[in-house]
Structure formats: structure tokens, C-alpha cells
Amino acid sequence: MKNSISTPNNIVRTAIRRSFPQILLTAVLIIMIIGLSVSSEFFFTWKNFRNILDQCSVYLLLSLGMTFVIASGGIDLSVGSIAGMSGVIMAVLMKAGMPVLPAVLLGILSGVLTGIINGALISYLKLFPFITTLATMTITRGIALVLTGGVSIYGFSQSFKWWGTGTIGPINPPIAISLLFTIIAAIIMSRTLWGKYSLAIGGNAEALRRSGVNVKGYRISIYAVSSLCAAIAGLIMTARLNSAAPLAGSGYEMDAIAAVVLGGGSLNGGSGAILGTFIACFTLSVLRNGLTMLAIPTYYQQLITGVIILLAIIIAEARNRREKESE
Amino acid sequence: MGEQLQPFLEVKELKKSFGHIEALKGASLQAKCGEVLAIVGDNGAGKSTLIKTLSGVLTPDSGSIIVDGKEYGHLTPKLAGDNGISTVYQDLSLVNTQTVWENIFLGHEYRNFGWLNKKKMRREAAELLNNLNISIHNHEEIVGNLSGGQRQAIAVARAIHHGGKMIILDEPTAAMGLRETAATQQLIKNLAVQGYGVIIISHNIQQVFELSDRICVMRQGQVLALVDTKSVTSDDIVSMIVSGTSLNGAIQ
Ligand SMILES: Nc1ncnc2c1ncn2[C@@H]1O[C@H](COP(=O)(O)OP(=O)(O)OP(=O)(O)O)[C@@H](O)[C@H]1O
Ligand SMILES: [Mg+2]
């Protein structure tokens, strides 16, 4: 066999080499879990595990959508605000007497529309994703503030609260939804044209266009999906707290971006892995959970989390560069 | 050649400007199936711009493109592909972050009930590259990690695989080694024998004479001459490229 080949051996070896960020992250996660289990007997219990997954769910949803956006070479700064705005719209509609289901659907629709607008501005007017989504982030936050008059809306029906606090067997709706979305996103990323083109757009959008692919349409749908995830995150946030706060979700976009990059995504576009994003989100939640458990004050938690994210990104980036130069 | 009355591809009076730069100033051209047409000309003569309008990547400001008897004001990449035109671009247009086989099938992925059929794409890519004698050890490697010549070979393989009727190659061997260049030239000859139309842009005059049936000389956005290769010498062509006149002064 002198020529060719995609032998199974090659496929596996290349996949492992390319999974370095995820492998590194998993190693960190395992070390953290061992360390925390030793220092607190409460840590390694199902109750705490469920707790971590529950805390993780909103970030995970935002990060899943963000994985596709970053894969396509873009960025979506508006997801936190969209989550907030969608929750507020649901709350306002329900307070005006609308039944839960249509109110929730309209809230989600408002989020998706924002995503479509993001995508259309980026595709057709060729605006930079950073600036475009920075603007829509401000606008959607403004809408949430206007609709609420700056004060939280609270007190919803039981059937709405179920989305945040109900139970489904051993887990709850936030965990169920976020895990289900993770599985769907992983399948989409690796098995469908849509996932492949998300990555290809980030790699070389012009090459894809020259191959006859409707790049503008795909790009719009990527931002729409990101905002769909954000709007569903908004549903969970609002239902869980039984309150729609005008500033809910502020800054969450940063956590989502950090998770995607930690999970192996590159802001240059062309890479991104759902499994990596999932492990990264989970790791960040374990970290927060552990810091709380060790009774580290909140202000320090923020500091420590930031430093750890930075270190991880430096290591991943260094490895990326070495890989590029050595081959 | 010659048996075919109607050219497969014809462009008339194509104009295209980028800002104040007039890249094409009314270029006209015909290409037939079963023949190799070489386009030559200095850097910036408008060769790549011309073929990009043929592949639908650029929209001309005016003029028309006739493919297989159908007249268009401009093409889109999809329309060109559907009409059987496939192109190797000067900048290759590969996705550097994706694997060899993913690039070969870019925009033409195999699917099975909507799901990507990776197995089939891997297998066919291996067969294709083997048949074309292109040696790359690992088809799982991302294209960005390959050499310039290997990347060029992949772009050529992709165009061949998408087949169609007309294959356009913009300086396909510029980065290739001797062995790969010879293989690609043989490939181009075979394509014409099999009835494909081939348009090749090249700065290598020896290659042009070895491969082509006709030569199109471009200069400053216009087609200066369209001649049978047999009727001219390489000195004629060089003179036309450089100074705009042939040695004996005859330009059709
Ligand atoms: N996208 C673009 N934007 C602006 N100017 C362009 C663009 N593409 C081409 N041009 C200009 O059009 C002219 C023709 O360029 P073109 O690429 O067609 O030349 P060429 O004959 O292919 O040259 P070469 O042999 O160097 O490849 C040049 O002056 C070039 O600067
Ligand atoms: Mg050129």
C-alpha cells in the first residue's frame, strides 16, 4: 500500500492527535474530581452531581449554539441578552393573560428572529460578527429593560415553573433539555451537511461558495440556531427563578465563548467540537461547585475561574501552533 | 477537433472592472469539447478574471456567456457546475482546516438518507487519488498541512472528480514537481481525448505548446489573438505576450 489511505489506523491516530484539547481538559477534570472528592465527602454524591448538571444547563445551551458560530469563524455576543429578552417577553405575555405554551413559543421566536437579523446583517451587509452582535446585544438588553421598566417580573403558573424546577425521573427539565441538545448538536456536527458546512465556512467560506453552496443561507441559519439555544436557555432561567429579571443572562456570552475555546474551538474558525464544549462546560461547573464547597469567597472564585480559563487557552493555543509548524 | 460545429462555451464582449481597474475590456472567446485551449498573457492580463466569470465566481459588468447553446448574462457557481463546468482556481480554494477527502467532496458530499456518507467518500477519494497517481500518505490529514504541490493535486483531482464537460485549470502545475507536472499534463491530454473541453492558463510556454490545440493570448484585459497552436511558433507567442505584436505582424 504505497499510496492513499484512510485506513482505520490512520483515522483513529489522526482523531486522537486532533483531540488533544479535549484530552487535556478531561485530564484536568479528572484531577479536579479526585481532589474535590478527597476534600469533601459531599462532592462525589449523586445529589451534588445533579446539582452541577443543573447549574451547567443554561451555560451548556448557550455554548452549544456558540460552538457552531465559532466553528463558522464568527462570534455571537448577543446570546446572554437574547436569553434575558426571551424570558422577559414570555413573562410579559403571561402576565397579560396569555397561556403558557403560546407565550413560551413567542418568546423563543423573538430570540430566533434576533439571530436571523444577526445572520442577515453579517451575510448580506458583510458586517463583522463582533460588532453586529455587540449591537444586537445592546438592543435586546434595551428591549428587556423597556418591557420590564427595569424591575423584575415574578410569580408564574406551576406549569411554567415546571420548565425550571420540575422533575423528569432522577433529573429535571433543564438537565434533560441541555443533555438532549448536546446529543443532537453532536450528531449534527459530525453527521450532517449543516455541521460540516459550519466548519467549512470558518475554514474558507469563499471555497465553499465557489463549490456552489449557498453560504449566506447557511450563515444565517447558524446564527438562528445560536439564538434558538439562547432563547431556550432564557426559558429555563426564567422558570427556575420564577422571575424574569431585565438583566438576566448578562455576561453569559463570555462563559459560552470560554467553554467553546476550552473545548477545542478556535476563534480563527474551522474548528469546534460538541463533546469538547460539553466537557468544558461541565469542568467549569465542577470548578465553581468545588470553589463554593471549599468555601472560597465569590470574588475570589471569579478571579480563579478567569485565571484557569486563561491558562487552559494558552496551553491549547501553544499546542495548536506547534502542530501547525511541525507538519 | 473540428467536428463539433457549435462551441460548448462562448463568451462575448465581457467587461469587468474592480473600482477603477478595468480587468476585462470586452473579451470574447470560444472553447470546444475535445480540445485543449491555452490562455496565456502577462501578470494582470485578466486571465483569472476571465475564467472566474466562466465558473460563476465573478459577475461580469456586461457581455454574455453562452453555455451549450444557452445564453446567460452571468453564471453562478451552482449554475456553472450544473452546466458541467468545473474549475481549479489559481488560489486553489481548498478548506485548509478540513481533510483531504472532505476537500475532494466539498459541495458534492455523498449522503445516505440525509446523513453524510463518510465511508463512501473516504473510499472513493482513496480510489481517485490512487488512479491519478497522487501520493498523500494520510487522507485524514488536513489540507493546510500538505505541500503546495500536493494541494494543487488535490484541487485538480476534485475538478476531475466533479467531471462535467469542461474543465478549467488556472496555473495547475505552478507549484508541482517534475513528476507531478508530467502526470498532470498526461491527465489533461487524456481528458481531451475522452471528449472533455479543457481550458488551461499557464505561464510555461513549453507546456502550452505540448498540450494545447489552440492558444488565446490576453493582454490588458482583451483577447489579442486566438490561434491554432500548430500555426505559430513559441517566439511568436512570447512576442505577443510581451509587446502585443507577433513577429510577422499577423494577428487574427
Ligand atoms: N478581486 C479583485 N479586486 C481588485 N482588483 C482585482 C481583483 N481581481 C483582479 N484584479 C485586478 O484585475 C487585473 C487582472 O487580474 P487577473 O488576476 O485576472 O490577472 P491574471 O492574468 O490572472 O494574472 P496572473 O498571471 O498574475 O495570475 C489585475 O490588475 C488585478 O489587480
Ligand atoms: Mg491569474
Side-chain angles (χ1 to χ4, degrees):
Chain A
M1 300 258 264
K2 80 174 172 32
N3 269 348
S4 79
I5 318 301
S6 294
T7 59
N9 196 3
N10 261 340
I11 296 175
V12 171
R13 249 189 309 166
T14 318
I16 290 176
R17 177 156 52 87
R18 228 157 268 157
S19 305
F20 175 77
Q22 288 93 310
I23 292 170
L24 180 74
L25 196 62
T26 311
V28 171
L29 177 63
I30 291 172
I31 292 170
M32 258 165 47
I33 289 177
I34 293 175
L36 288 167
S37 302
V38 170
S39 39
S40 161
E41 58 187 28
F42 177 68
F43 178 80
F44 205 79
T45 58
W46 164 246
K47 188 156 174 264
N48 192 43
F49 182 66
R50 185 184 188 275
N51 194 4
I52 292 171
L53 282 178
D54 186 40
Q55 276 181 10
C56 184
S57 59
V58 164
Y59 293 111
L60 183 52
L61 279 167
L62 298 179
S63 307
L64 292 174
M66 190 71 79
T67 307
F68 291 102
V69 172
I70 287 180
S72 78
I75 193 119
D76 190 348
L77 298 178
S78 65
V79 289
S81 300
I82 290 177
M85 178 191 73
S86 295
V88 164
I89 288 179
M90 291 172 200
V92 168
L93 292 175
M94 286 186 296
K95 286 291 170 191
M98 190 181 274
V100 172
L101 191 65
V104 166
L105 289 178
L106 282 173
I108 290 175
L109 186 69
S110 70
V112 174
L113 269 176
T114 314
I116 292 174
I117 292 170
N118 277 337
L121 290 170
I122 292 162
S123 288
Y124 286 99
L125 299 186
K126 301 196 163 56
L127 303 181
F128 285 110
F130 187 92
I131 301 297
T132 311
T133 58
L134 186 64
T136 48
M137 163 177 128
T138 313
I139 293 169
T140 45
R141 185 60 70 197
I143 292 173
L145 283 163
V146 168
L147 287 177
T148 56
V151 288
S152 299
I153 302 173
Y154 56 90
F156 305 115
S157 68
Q158 206 54 46
S159 64
F160 181 76
K161 284 192 289 186
W162 180 85
W163 289 97
T165 54
T167 49
I168 302 178
I171 54 174
N172 63 8
I175 297 175
I177 293 172
S178 60
L179 292 185
L180 182 69
F181 268 55
T182 305
I183 293 167
I184 293 173
I187 293 172
I188 287 177
M189 184 65 103
S190 67
R191 297 276 153 213
T192 70
L193 215 49
W194 197 82
K196 188 172 182 307
Y197 285 172
S198 300
L199 290 161
I201 289 174
N204 187 347
E206 178 62 12
L208 196 62
R209 183 180 83 87
R210 290 180 184 183
S211 305
V213 174
N214 176 6
V215 171
K216 288 192 171 88
Y218 275 98
R219 205 175 243 139
I220 292 173
S221 66
I222 290 168
Y223 285 89
V225 164
S226 171
S227 61
L228 172 69
C229 293
I232 292 173
L235 164 67
I236 291 175
M237 279 176 357
T238 314
R240 178 189 281 155
L241 297 176
N242 192 20
S243 149
L247 294 180
S250 293
Y252 283 24
E253 57 279 350
M254 290 306 158
D255 291 82
I257 293 166
V260 174
V261 174
L262 280 179
S266 158
L267 291 177
N268 294 325
S271 63
I274 296 296
L275 181 63
T277 297
F278 172 73
I279 299 173
C281 270
F282 187 70
T283 306
L284 289 176
S285 289
V286 167
L287 180 66
R288 284 200 192 89
N289 178 271
L291 292 174
T292 308
M293 202 165 290
L294 299 177
I296 304 212
T298 337
Y299 302 132
Y300 284 97
Q301 289 190 18
Q302 183 89 4
L303 188 69
I304 293 170
T305 315
V307 170
I308 290 180
I309 289 175
L310 188 61
L311 280 178
I313 290 172
I314 289 172
I315 294 171
E317 209 36 56
R319 155 82 196 192
N320 260 347
R321 211 155 297 151
R322 199 143 31 91
E323 162 122 328
K324 258 183 206 132
E325 278 159 16
S326 70
E327 289 179 69
Chain B
M1 312 140 271
E3 313 90 13
Q4 213 187 349
L5 294 173
Q6 211 183 12
F8 174 72
L9 194 63
E10 183 171 9
V11 299
K12 287 183 183 160
E13 286 298 315
L14 278 190
K15 291 190 179 154
K16 175 73 186 175
S17 298
F18 299 102
H20 62 279
I21 302 170
E22 287 180 86
L24 293 178
K25 304 176 194 164
S28 302
L29 186 73
Q30 297 170 353
K32 303 186 190 99
C33 285
E35 79 163 7
V36 179
L37 171 67
I39 302 181
V40 298
D42 251 340
N43 294 128
K47 306 180 296 294
S48 297
T49 306
L50 177 65
I51 64 101
K52 280 181 189 165
T53 64
L54 298 180
S55 63
V57 164
L58 286 177
T59 304
D61 301 330
S62 66
S64 64
I65 304 170
I66 301 162
V67 190
D68 222 355
K70 283 168 284 181
E71 181 160 350
Y72 300 94
H74 70 94
L75 296 172
T76 62
K78 174 129 184 22
L79 206 52
D82 291 347
N83 273 302
I85 300 171
S86 54
T87 307
V88 177
Y89 297 94
Q90 190 165 14
D91 63 9
L92 303 183
S93 289
L94 299 173
V95 179
N96 283 340
T97 50
Q98 296 198 342
T99 62
V100 172
W101 63 268
E102 283 175 304
N103 269 283
I104 286 178
F105 287 96
L106 190 71
H108 297 76
E109 290 79 4
Y110 287 139
R111 283 187 293 168
N112 213 347
F113 302 109
W115 306 107
L116 289 174
N117 192 342
K118 297 188 183 180
K119 212 169 155 190
K120 186 170 173 198
M121 290 192 272
R122 284 190 167 111
R123 195 182 56 226
E124 274 197 24
E127 279 168 19
L128 175 73
L129 295 180
N130 250 327
N131 290 343
L132 298 180
N133 241 321
I134 296 168
S135 66
I136 294 165
H137 327 296
N138 182 358
H139 295 173
E140 300 301 315
E141 193 53 83
I142 61 170
V143 161
N145 287 341
L146 300 178
S147 77
Q150 286 174 321
R151 288 158 40 78
Q152 221 156 24
I154 291 167
V156 171
R158 177 170 70 184
I160 306 264
H161 186 264
H162 298 168
K165 293 176 183 144
M166 170 85 39
I167 294 179
I168 302 175
L169 307 119
D170 195 347
E171 305 193 27
T173 62
M176 286 185 187
L178 293 176
R179 193 181 70 84
E180 290 79 7
T181 302
T184 306
Q185 294 194 162
Q186 190 54 49
L187 196 68
I188 291 171
K189 282 183 199 162
N190 292 347
L191 286 172
V193 171
Q194 287 163 34
Y196 287 94
V198 179
I199 298 178
I200 177 173
I201 296 177
S202 176
H203 287 292
N204 179 341
I205 296 296
Q206 196 192 335
Q207 180 178 58
V208 166
F209 273 81
E210 190 174 331
L211 287 178
S212 70
D213 300 301
R214 289 191 303 148
I215 302 174
C216 165
V217 185
M218 287 193 71
R219 195 177 155 78
Q220 294 166 3
Q222 278 171 321
V223 173
L224 188 68
L226 194 56
V227 297
D228 278 336
T229 307
K230 289 200 195 75
S231 69
V232 288
T233 66
S234 56
D235 288 346
D236 277 330
I237 295 296
V238 170
S239 157
M240 279 192 254
I241 292 170
V242 175
S243 63
T245 51
S246 75
L247 292 177
N248 56 19
I251 283 180
Q252 319 46 347

